Amino acid sequence: MAVHETNMRLKLPIVCVILEVILIILFAVLVTYDEDTDAKKWHKELKANRSINYENDFYYRYPSFQDVHVMIFIGFGFLMTFLQRYGFSSVGFNFLIAAFSLQWATLMQGFLHGMHHGKIHVGVESMINADFCTGSVLISFGAVLGKTSPVQLMIMAVFEVTLFAVNEFIILSVLEAKDAGGSMTIHTFGAYFGLVVARVLYRPQLHKSKHKNGSVYHSDLFAMIGTIFLWMFWPSFNSAVTAHGDDQHRTAMNTYYSLASCTLATFGISALVNNEGKLDMVHIQNAALAGGVAVGTAGEMMLTPFGSMIVGFLAGVISTLGFKFLTPILEEKLRIQDTCGVHNLHGMPGILGAIVGAITASAASRDVYGDGMTDVFPEIANNNFTPSGQGVRQAISLAVTLGFAAVGGVIVGFILKMPFLGSPPDTNCFEDNIYWEVPGDEESHQELTPVQQDEVARPLNG
Amino acid sequence: MAVHETNMRLKLPIVCVILEVILIILFAVLVTYDEDTDAKKWHKELKANRSINYENDFYYRYPSFQDVHVMIFIGFGFLMTFLQRYGFSSVGFNFLIAAFSLQWATLMQGFLHGMHHGKIHVGVESMINADFCTGSVLISFGAVLGKTSPVQLMIMAVFEVTLFAVNEFIILSVLEAKDAGGSMTIHTFGAYFGLVVARVLYRPQLHKSKHKNGSVYHSDLFAMIGTIFLWMFWPSFNSAVTAHGDDQHRTAMNTYYSLASCTLATFGISALVNNEGKLDMVHIQNAALAGGVAVGTAGEMMLTPFGSMIVGFLAGVISTLGFKFLTPILEEKLRIQDTCGVHNLHGMPGILGAIVGAITASAASRDVYGDGMTDVFPEIANNNFTPSGQGVRQAISLAVTLGFAAVGGVIVGFILKMPFLGSPPDTNCFEDNIYWEVPGDEESHQELTPVQQDEVARPLNG
Amino acid sequence: MAVHETNMRLKLPIVCVILEVILIILFAVLVTYDEDTDAKKWHKELKANRSINYENDFYYRYPSFQDVHVMIFIGFGFLMTFLQRYGFSSVGFNFLIAAFSLQWATLMQGFLHGMHHGKIHVGVESMINADFCTGSVLISFGAVLGKTSPVQLMIMAVFEVTLFAVNEFIILSVLEAKDAGGSMTIHTFGAYFGLVVARVLYRPQLHKSKHKNGSVYHSDLFAMIGTIFLWMFWPSFNSAVTAHGDDQHRTAMNTYYSLASCTLATFGISALVNNEGKLDMVHIQNAALAGGVAVGTAGEMMLTPFGSMIVGFLAGVISTLGFKFLTPILEEKLRIQDTCGVHNLHGMPGILGAIVGAITASAASRDVYGDGMTDVFPEIANNNFTPSGQGVRQAISLAVTLGFAAVGGVIVGFILKMPFLGSPPDTNCFEDNIYWEVPGDEESHQELTPVQQDEVARPLNG
């Protein structure tokens, strides 16, 4: 059989092995356990401070980490299985690029925030941050889903993780903006980066694969596994790296209320915009999550429960309307083919979240925050910024993020256009069997003889 | 296209938006962060008691909350996807009514237990309690599954949450009974409320939809996702709001043993009652969980591991026999069409749990509990009740719960009969496409031309 | 209808009920709550040490326990649903034998490690250890999947749990080897025990069921649920029972990096060994997990992140190559029909993990571990062993494990050959409907009249 451009036999192994070897070498040279993880350092710490093992930060971060981890691998992975014939790729490529990105992110974020005496110190918090950065790549994956090869995705991840880390550094460390749940750094950046890449990769002939660009009954149920896990664990996501104590508590709670309110808005608007008043699974699977995105910045602030509910409600409305009215326009007018509708789930709600964050920060007062100001807005507490100064920095951060996403997306989009990267033909997008051994369908077996079935069923040990 | 009664285009948006607006207003007026969640109050607390952030109750409740949250949204949601053509509604309406109920429950439970100076204080414990109340509504949903519109379900939730909160208040605060895992408050109440509603909504012509009232191969596997997550996290459910320390530890462990034992009983009895000795997925999906229900009251007591195993075993036997022999009788004689068999999973095991709780409480002795009596039975520890007095209060609580469920169920059932609520016709129960845009089946595509497929496959951006 | 050999109507109830009754009696006589779980003992502890409830070990182990629990019931259960018509049995029998094994393991492990004054003390740590032992049985189940009755599996579990506990006792308590994540005790033991049982149960005519011994599209997606949950929670698995503090932290992190690296290796090699460069779901579902197995022993040691990545990479390569080249040889030459390829996922990576553990232990130095040596290698810290002495004990432990697995597997294999245990015929392996009431397929309904559908669809209340 002739080697197609889409044949991954050499390309994918080369990319995976080279990248992993580079990672291993850089980890060997640069990475070391942090004080909570290293046997010698932690025991010195225990002795010095007469502490106990129960005070290891592991216990106060690891449950959050695990929830985030579920969102990254089950949440994003299954959310994208809604396509009828792209489930293997959705959950499989999600798995591959996440496994790569979390390693690469450890290095990139480490270079910028975590260097101590020439070494990157890793612990449970760096694991969470790496998963966060990975989330951003997976959002971009959603925009180009079904139209890219795994090699393209790996290359996109290399660049996107790097740009993410730089953007995050500028926002959090230079501008000293707050963005615990990543409305800007994760969602806005990931969405617009992915959309710009999708624009560059625009396929005028994509209608040739149109019959595969939709769901079937069971694929929508698989996708709901992703949706529900994302929805449930979003409070953990937004609160995973906030300051301990009231901050984590409040962030989780604000997110919980925002999501609950967003869900009602989504169901309501979904029925309203349908001629027959029928609900659309695309809305439920996606827009109901927008409430988590939209409190990603302000969640740790004193947003109040009802404030969170208002933000969530708006996010659900905007997101559902976006799926209904904006996505077709993006495709027809702006030539952005956004497979998963990331503009509606991550793009607009991310911007909303950034704005809400800027406003909430501007309204911060010592009367409301008390001594808790130190944790939420250390620079206001230290009298380095005024509240409105903090708000301005939040707003600038949004602009910086959009700029990074746009410029980065254009460059990376053109890199991904290189022909030998194995992009699928227009007639075969949204189709697993171009990159996967795909077994037959149960159903088709039923009228086959056992001999015929042998040929259809994937041999297990093959 | 004519507007059907079942058309949700205006009804569902109106209900969702009005309810959410009411929630937001009430939250704005009444709800405030508790001491562990508020920036100012927690930092005052830290200073006053020289505490550290690690002592925030968040860290000792939030992992339990997340497990409960998974049970509510994945567990209940997927458990009900067993129907062949009602998966979207099962997991989708579960999502909607849970998202509403947890907000409404925060208010209703707050009015009754959580008011401080005219404000409802919310924190991680109120989030768990709201999820608990939601669980009760979802149990009732199981009884009427496939036969009600989303508007009916929302209205049911409004009333049921309210009644739940009143019943819970009487049992826990007035009668001072113990019911940490909710054998009475959650399971018995939810089941009998739902069964009475189902009785009022009895459809003599339901056989017209009979061909859809069953599972198919893959829908049973989706349902097992729900079952297994419920089973695994039930120890967290029962222990989520018990006193800290030994109580949580013991409750989780008792539940774990009860469920393990229940599972063996279920498999054994399921094979025994089948003519060919074949196992029935309905039993495995449901009866294997009865052990969690049945230690919902006594789980925090000194039930002992083997005591828990006996209770679990009995629950599994009763529940499986109920599915086999009692459900047909309920339907034919009592005219209760119990779609999910909630009588077998929540009703009878809930009553069993209440009885076991009353007996175990009566047997409480200082010799066994030591100083731990204060946490489990504070009124016995304070010499306000004798153990048998506590037992009597437990038994009265069961009666109160059954009374609330019966009276409430009748009233709410008649409210739900109002014709404009959009209940599906007898010929179209257990069918998603009455309320959802439903895509075609993968299988049917395979013999279609791409053009035909276009019409079948749900357009993504529609 | 005639009673077949495979009819479980009496056999399964008898086995389940007798075993559960024995368990209950032994628990009544032998088992008691430990100090953290018992009301009286914990409160005495609190008073004596002026402790607080937050210091109950529950809070530092239970989140790990829950992650392990998910791996056992969802992870293993769904991983095995890849077979097109064996999903009910995969997840159902997994559920049954796990529910039994965790109870039996509590007793067997308690006899050997947990006796205090004639009583077995149970708490959250014993729950984790029981789940670990259960994992070993489920690995063996993978080797014989589709070819055994539930009664055979229960009997296998009785013996395997017992042997596991003895082997574990010899390795951990007599030889004082380290094996926190169970590369030897769980994976190597479970895999080779299962493979030897599969060898004894060799079926020369198994090709008669060959058309069912493969996946279909949706069954592979269900299996990915299992894979991803195993992958995500493996850091919790390996760290669940290590010493608190840095040890748990480090073990989780090492496992995380090992798995990430393993995933890249698996994708790369999977494409490389396929003629068309297509990925194989069997590899992704299984080999990507080998990195968790391979750091099961050394994960708690100072393996370093890059060391973990190297080990994970090797594990992924070995495992994928095993599926491609070794499994057919095992079947044809050695007559071992390994349904799930446990040799590739648990066998070889388990041995690799044992070797890595022995080498890493030999290289332990006080310079690297500092005072942390006490937790990781207490005997080296106490100067009872030299590092190389520890390494030798690790290596001997591997040999002991292989010996136990081989001898135990032969004996148990012959016990399972007893004809009345209800093993399926060669023509009906990998088929649910021999032990389960199986509903029709959605698809086949679509061309049936409602009356016919009634007969196909499983009646719910049957």
Side-chain angles (χ1 to χ4, degrees):
Chain A
M1 185 168 287
V3 176
H4 301 292
E5 277 301 317
T6 57
N7 188 314
M8 292 286 122
R9 186 155 192 188
L10 293 177
K11 293 168 191 169
L12 188 59
I14 289 171
V15 168
C16 289
V17 171
I18 288 181
L19 288 176
E20 190 60 46
V21 169
I22 292 172
L23 286 167
I24 290 174
I25 294 169
L26 291 174
F27 267 70
V29 176
L30 289 167
V31 174
T32 184
Y33 296 127
D34 73 6
E35 293 221 332
D36 283 48
T37 315
D38 185 277
K40 190 176 181 179
K41 293 183 212 156
W42 174 251
H43 281 263
K44 203 184 272 179
E45 174 84 14
L46 284 182
K47 246 189 200 163
N49 300 321
R50 294 187 192 178
S51 300
I52 55 171
N53 274 318
Y54 289 162
E55 286 166 25
N56 193 298
D57 203 33
F58 181 74
Y59 302 106
Y60 304 91
R61 295 279 183 208
Y62 188 73
S64 303
F65 163 71
Q66 274 299 2
D67 291 353
V68 172
H69 219 40
V70 171
M71 292 173 72
I72 295 298
F73 288 89
I74 285 283
F76 282 105
F78 276 89
L79 182 60
M80 295 190 275
T81 59
F82 72 99
L83 289 172
Q84 57 188 279
R85 274 284 146 181
Y86 208 64
F88 289 12
S89 303
S90 296
V91 75
F93 296 161
N94 187 84
F95 189 18
L96 173 64
I97 60 178
F100 165 70
S101 299
L102 64 85
Q103 297 178 77
W104 186 235
T106 304
L107 289 172
M108 291 297 117
Q109 295 177 318
F111 284 137
L112 292 161
H113 324 266
M115 293 295 272
H116 302 273
H117 308 293
K119 288 283 186 181
I120 295 166
H121 286 209
V122 290
V124 66
E125 209 169 324
S126 74
M127 288 159 71
I128 296 171
N129 280 316
D131 268 25
F132 275 2
C133 176
T134 298
S136 189
V137 179
L138 300 178
I139 291 166
S140 304
F141 176 34
V144 298
L145 189 77
K147 300 167 295 184
T148 39
S149 76
V151 168
Q152 285 180 300
L153 295 169
M154 290 293 278
I155 291 170
M156 183 177 85
V158 170
F159 289 103
E160 185 170 358
V161 165
T162 310
L163 286 165
F164 175 98
V166 175
N167 183 53
E168 185 189 42
F169 175 73
I170 293 172
I171 289 175
L172 303 185
S173 302
V174 178
L175 291 168
E176 307 210 50
K178 300 290 288 188
D179 195 20
S183 289
M184 296 181 282
T185 54
I186 301 168
H187 299 289
T188 305
F189 177 77
Y192 288 97
F193 181 93
L195 290 165
V196 173
V197 170
R199 175 65 191 81
V200 177
L201 299 181
Y202 178 67
R203 290 168 180 260
Q205 302 293 312
L206 189 61
H207 59 84
K208 289 181 181 169
S209 294
K210 195 184 161 195
H211 57 287
K212 287 173 197 154
N213 187 4
S215 67
V216 290
Y217 194 71
H218 278 137
S219 69
D220 269 327
L221 281 176
F222 279 112
M224 280 302 281
I225 297 174
T227 298
I228 301 286
F229 272 105
L230 287 168
W231 196 93
M232 294 185 304
F233 289 164
W234 215 296
S236 306
F237 188 95
N238 285 346
S239 66
V241 293
T242 60
H244 285 298
D246 62 300
D247 293 62
Q248 283 203 289
H249 205 146
R250 189 168 58 247
T251 313
M253 176 178 283
N254 287 339
T255 309
Y256 166 86
Y257 285 123
S258 175
L259 284 164
S261 170
C262 178
T263 302
L264 265 77
T266 300
F267 273 84
I269 305 299
S270 182
L272 187 67
V273 297
N274 182 283
N275 288 333
E276 302 175 66
K278 290 187 180 182
L279 296 162
D280 191 327
M281 261 292 168
V282 172
H283 306 160
I284 309 308
Q285 284 160 9
N286 292 281
L289 299 168
V293 175
V295 294
T297 302
E300 67 177 318
M301 304 174 191
M302 289 290 287
L303 187 57
T304 75
F306 87 94
S308 308
M309 288 155 77
I310 292 172
V311 174
F313 194 85
L314 284 175
V317 172
I318 291 170
S319 185
T320 311
L321 293 177
F323 275 102
K324 182 71 184 177
F325 300 110
L326 209 55
T327 297
I329 293 173
L330 282 187
E331 177 154 358
E332 285 156 35
K333 307 290 176 195
L334 300 183
R335 303 189 155 205
I336 298 171
Q337 293 155 328
D338 176 9
T339 312
C340 292
V342 302
H343 187 246
N344 309 304
L345 169 48
H346 302 280
M348 293 188 295
I351 291 177
L352 174 64
I355 295 169
V356 171
I359 296 170
T360 314
S362 302
S365 76
R366 216 168 293 266
D367 192 42
V368 170
Y369 289 81
D371 289 339
M373 187 70 92
T374 322
D375 288 339
V376 187
F377 298 114
E379 299 301 319
I380 300 179
N382 295 337
N383 293 316
N384 293 334
F385 303 167
T386 60
S388 59
Q390 180 79 40
V392 169
R393 280 157 185 270
Q394 299 289 135
I396 294 171
S397 296
L398 173 60
V400 169
T401 299
L402 288 169
F404 262 92
V407 175
V410 170
I411 296 168
V412 174
F414 279 100
I415 292 172
L416 298 186
K417 281 193 117 167
M418 291 189 295
F420 57 86
L421 298 180
S423 163
D426 288 344
T427 50
N428 233 350
C429 288
F430 315 115
E431 173 58 54
D432 276 335
N433 77 12
I434 201 163
Y435 302 120
W436 296 85
E437 288 286 345
V438 176
D441 281 306
E442 201 169 352
E443 301 68 46
S444 49
H445 294 188
Q446 295 181 340
E447 289 131 55
L448 300 178
T449 63
V451 175
Q452 286 175 305
Q453 288 177 343
D454 281 1
E455 292 157 18
V456 175
R458 184 195 58 176
L460 175 63
N461 307 323
Chain B
M1 186 168 287
V3 175
H4 300 291
E5 278 300 318
T6 55
N7 189 313
M8 292 287 122
R9 186 154 192 191
L10 294 176
K11 292 168 191 172
L12 189 59
I14 289 171
V15 168
C16 288
V17 172
I18 290 182
L19 288 177
E20 190 60 46
V21 169
I22 293 173
L23 285 167
I24 290 174
I25 294 170
L26 291 175
F27 266 70
V29 176
L30 288 168
V31 172
T32 184
Y33 296 127
D34 73 5
E35 294 221 330
D36 284 49
T37 314
D38 186 277
K40 190 177 184 177
K41 292 183 212 157
W42 174 251
H43 281 263
K44 202 184 274 178
E45 174 82 15
L46 283 182
K47 246 188 200 164
N49 298 319
R50 296 189 189 176
S51 298
I52 55 171
N53 274 319
Y54 290 162
E55 284 166 27
N56 194 298
D57 203 31
F58 181 74
Y59 301 106
Y60 304 91
R61 296 280 183 207
Y62 187 73
S64 302
F65 163 71
Q66 274 299 3
D67 291 353
V68 172
H69 219 42
V70 171
M71 292 173 72
I72 295 299
F73 288 88
I74 285 283
F76 281 105
F78 277 88
L79 181 61
M80 296 191 275
T81 58
F82 73 98
L83 289 171
Q84 56 188 280
R85 274 285 145 179
Y86 208 63
F88 288 13
S89 303
S90 295
V91 72
F93 296 162
N94 187 83
F95 189 19
L96 173 63
I97 59 178
F100 166 70
S101 298
L102 64 86
Q103 297 177 76
W104 187 235
T106 304
L107 290 171
M108 291 297 117
Q109 295 177 319
F111 285 137
L112 293 161
H113 327 265
M115 294 295 272
H116 303 273
H117 309 293
K119 288 282 188 184
I120 294 167
H121 286 209
V122 291
V124 65
E125 210 169 325
S126 75
M127 288 159 71
I128 297 170
N129 280 315
D131 268 25
F132 276 2
C133 176
T134 298
S136 189
V137 178
L138 300 178
I139 292 165
S140 304
F141 176 34
V144 300
L145 188 77
K147 299 167 296 183
T148 40
S149 77
V151 169
Q152 285 180 300
L153 293 170
M154 291 293 277
I155 291 172
M156 184 176 86
V158 171
F159 289 103
E160 185 170 358
V161 165
T162 312
L163 287 165
F164 175 98
V166 175
N167 182 53
E168 185 191 42
F169 175 72
I170 293 174
I171 288 175
L172 302 186
S173 302
V174 178
L175 290 169
E176 308 210 51
K178 300 291 287 187
D179 195 21
S183 289
M184 296 182 283
T185 54
I186 302 167
H187 299 288
T188 305
F189 178 77
Y192 287 97
F193 182 93
L195 291 165
V196 173
V197 170
R199 174 66 192 82
V200 176
L201 298 180
Y202 178 68
R203 291 168 180 259
Q205 303 292 312
L206 189 60
H207 58 84
K208 288 180 182 170
S209 294
K210 195 185 159 192
H211 58 287
K212 287 172 196 152
N213 187 4
S215 66
V216 289
Y217 194 71
H218 278 136
S219 70
D220 270 327
L221 280 177
F222 279 112
M224 280 303 282
I225 298 173
T227 298
I228 301 286
F229 272 105
L230 287 168
W231 196 92
M232 293 186 304
F233 289 164
W234 217 295
S236 306
F237 188 94
N238 285 346
S239 65
V241 293
T242 61
H244 284 299
D246 61 300
D247 294 63
Q248 283 203 291
H249 205 146
R250 189 168 58 246
T251 313
M253 177 179 282
N254 287 338
T255 308
Y256 167 84
Y257 285 123
S258 175
L259 284 163
S261 169
C262 179
T263 302
L264 267 76
T266 300
F267 273 84
I269 304 298
S270 182
L272 186 67
V273 297
N274 181 284
N275 287 333
E276 303 175 65
K278 289 186 180 182
L279 296 162
D280 191 328
M281 261 290 168
V282 173
H283 305 159
I284 308 309
Q285 283 160 8
N286 292 280
L289 299 168
V293 175
V295 295
T297 303
E300 66 177 319
M301 305 176 191
M302 291 288 288
L303 186 58
T304 74
F306 87 94
S308 307
M309 289 155 77
I310 292 172
V311 174
F313 194 85
L314 284 176
V317 171
I318 291 170
S319 186
T320 311
L321 293 177
F323 275 102
K324 181 72 184 179
F325 299 111
L326 209 55
T327 297
I329 293 174
L330 282 186
E331 175 153 2
E332 284 157 34
K333 307 291 176 194
L334 300 183
R335 301 188 158 207
I336 298 171
Q337 292 155 328
D338 176 8
T339 312
C340 292
V342 302
H343 187 246
N344 309 304
L345 169 49
H346 302 279
M348 294 188 295
I351 292 179
L352 173 64
I355 295 169
V356 170
I359 295 170
T360 314
S362 303
S365 76
R366 216 168 293 265
D367 192 42
V368 170
Y369 289 80
D371 289 339
M373 187 70 92
T374 322
D375 287 339
V376 187
F377 298 114
E379 298 301 318
I380 299 179
N382 296 338
N383 292 317
N384 292 336
F385 302 167
T386 59
S388 59
Q390 180 77 39
V392 169
R393 279 156 185 270
Q394 298 288 136
I396 293 170
S397 296
L398 174 59
V400 169
T401 298
L402 288 169
F404 262 91
V407 175
V410 169
I411 296 167
V412 174
F414 279 100
I415 293 171
L416 298 186
K417 281 194 117 167
M418 291 188 298
F420 58 86
L421 298 180
S423 162
D426 289 342
T427 50
N428 232 350
C429 289
F430 315 115
E431 173 58 54
D432 276 334
N433 77 13
I434 200 163
Y435 302 119
W436 296 83
E437 288 287 345
V438 176
D441 282 306
E442 198 170 350
E443 299 68 45
S444 49
H445 294 187
Q446 296 182 336
E447 288 132 54
L448 300 178
T449 64
V451 175
Q452 286 174 307
Q453 288 178 344
D454 281 359
E455 291 157 21
V456 175
R458 185 194 57 176
L460 175 65
N461 307 324
Chain C
M1 184 169 287
V3 175
H4 301 291
E5 278 300 319
T6 57
N7 189 312
M8 292 286 121
R9 186 156 191 189
L10 294 176
K11 291 168 193 172
L12 188 59
I14 289 172
V15 167
C16 288
V17 172
I18 289 182
L19 288 177
E20 190 61 47
V21 169
I22 293 173
L23 285 167
I24 290 174
I25 294 171
L26 291 174
F27 266 70
V29 175
L30 289 168
V31 173
T32 185
Y33 296 127
D34 73 6
E35 293 221 330
D36 282 49
T37 315
D38 186 277
K40 190 177 183 177
K41 291 183 213 157
W42 174 251
H43 281 263
K44 202 183 273 178
E45 174 83 14
L46 284 181
K47 245 188 201 166
N49 299 320
R50 295 185 188 178
S51 299
I52 55 171
N53 275 319
Y54 289 162
E55 286 167 24
N56 193 299
D57 201 33
F58 181 74
Y59 301 105
Y60 304 91
R61 296 278 183 208
Y62 187 74
S64 303
F65 163 71
Q66 274 299 2
D67 291 352
V68 172
H69 219 41
V70 171
M71 293 174 72
I72 296 297
F73 287 89
I74 286 284
F76 281 105
F78 276 88
L79 181 61
M80 294 190 275
T81 59
F82 73 97
L83 289 171
Q84 58 189 278
R85 275 283 145 181
Y86 208 64
F88 289 12
S89 302
S90 295
V91 73
F93 296 161
N94 187 83
F95 190 18
L96 173 64
I97 60 178
F100 166 69
S101 297
L102 64 86
Q103 297 178 77
W104 186 235
T106 305
L107 290 171
M108 290 298 116
Q109 295 177 317
F111 284 138
L112 292 161
H113 325 265
M115 294 294 272
H116 303 273
H117 308 295
K119 288 282 187 184
I120 295 166
H121 286 210
V122 290
V124 66
E125 209 170 326
S126 74
M127 288 159 72
I128 296 170
N129 280 315
D131 267 26
F132 275 2
C133 176
T134 298
S136 189
V137 178
L138 299 178
I139 291 166
S140 304
F141 176 35
V144 299
L145 188 78
K147 300 168 297 183
T148 40
S149 76
V151 168
Q152 285 180 299
L153 293 171
M154 291 293 277
I155 290 172
M156 184 177 85
V158 170
F159 289 103
E160 186 170 358
V161 165
T162 311
L163 287 164
F164 175 99
V166 175
N167 182 53
E168 185 189 41
F169 174 73
I170 292 173
I171 288 174
L172 303 186
S173 303
V174 177
L175 291 168
E176 308 209 51
K178 300 291 287 187
D179 195 20
S183 289
M184 296 182 281
T185 55
I186 301 168
H187 298 289
T188 305
F189 178 78
Y192 288 97
F193 182 94
L195 290 166
V196 173
V197 169
R199 174 66 191 81
V200 176
L201 298 181
Y202 178 68
R203 290 169 180 258
Q205 302 293 311
L206 188 62
H207 59 83
K208 289 180 181 171
S209 294
K210 194 185 162 193
H211 58 288
K212 288 173 196 153
N213 187 5
S215 67
V216 289
Y217 194 71
H218 278 137
S219 69
D220 269 325
L221 280 176
F222 279 112
M224 279 304 281
I225 298 173
T227 297
I228 301 287
F229 272 105
L230 287 169
W231 196 92
M232 295 185 303
F233 289 165
W234 217 296
S236 305
F237 189 94
N238 285 347
S239 66
V241 294
T242 60
H244 285 299
D246 61 299
D247 294 63
Q248 284 203 290
H249 206 144
R250 189 168 57 243
T251 313
M253 175 178 285
N254 287 338
T255 309
Y256 167 86
Y257 285 124
S258 175
L259 284 163
S261 168
C262 178
T263 303
L264 266 77
T266 301
F267 274 83
I269 305 298
S270 182
L272 186 67
V273 297
N274 182 283
N275 287 333
E276 303 175 65
K278 290 187 179 182
L279 296 162
D280 191 328
M281 262 290 170
V282 172
H283 305 159
I284 309 309
Q285 284 161 8
N286 292 280
L289 299 167
V293 175
V295 295
T297 302
E300 67 177 319
M301 306 175 190
M302 291 288 287
L303 185 58
T304 74
F306 86 96
S308 307
M309 289 156 77
I310 292 172
V311 174
F313 194 85
L314 284 176
V317 172
I318 291 170
S319 187
T320 310
L321 293 177
F323 275 102
K324 183 69 182 180
F325 300 110
L326 209 55
T327 298
I329 293 173
L330 281 187
E331 177 153 358
E332 284 157 35
K333 308 291 176 193
L334 301 183
R335 303 188 156 207
I336 298 172
Q337 292 155 330
D338 176 8
T339 312
C340 293
V342 302
H343 187 246
N344 310 306
L345 169 48
H346 302 279
M348 292 187 295
I351 291 178
L352 174 64
I355 294 169
V356 171
I359 295 170
T360 315
S362 302
S365 75
R366 215 168 293 265
D367 191 43
V368 171
Y369 288 82
D371 289 341
M373 187 71 92
T374 321
D375 287 340
V376 187
F377 298 114
E379 298 303 320
I380 300 180
N382 295 338
N383 293 316
N384 292 335
F385 301 166
T386 59
S388 59
Q390 181 77 40
V392 169
R393 280 156 186 269
Q394 298 289 135
I396 294 170
S397 296
L398 173 61
V400 169
T401 299
L402 289 169
F404 261 91
V407 175
V410 170
I411 296 168
V412 174
F414 279 100
I415 292 171
L416 298 186
K417 281 194 116 167
M418 292 189 296
F420 57 87
L421 298 180
S423 162
D426 289 342
T427 50
N428 233 349
C429 288
F430 315 115
E431 173 57 56
D432 275 336
N433 78 11
I434 201 164
Y435 302 119
W436 295 84
E437 288 286 345
V438 176
D441 282 305
E442 201 169 349
E443 301 68 43
S444 48
H445 295 188
Q446 295 182 339
E447 289 131 56
L448 299 179
T449 64
V451 175
Q452 287 175 306
Q453 288 178 342
D454 281 1
E455 292 157 19
V456 175
R458 184 193 58 174
L460 176 63
N461 308 324

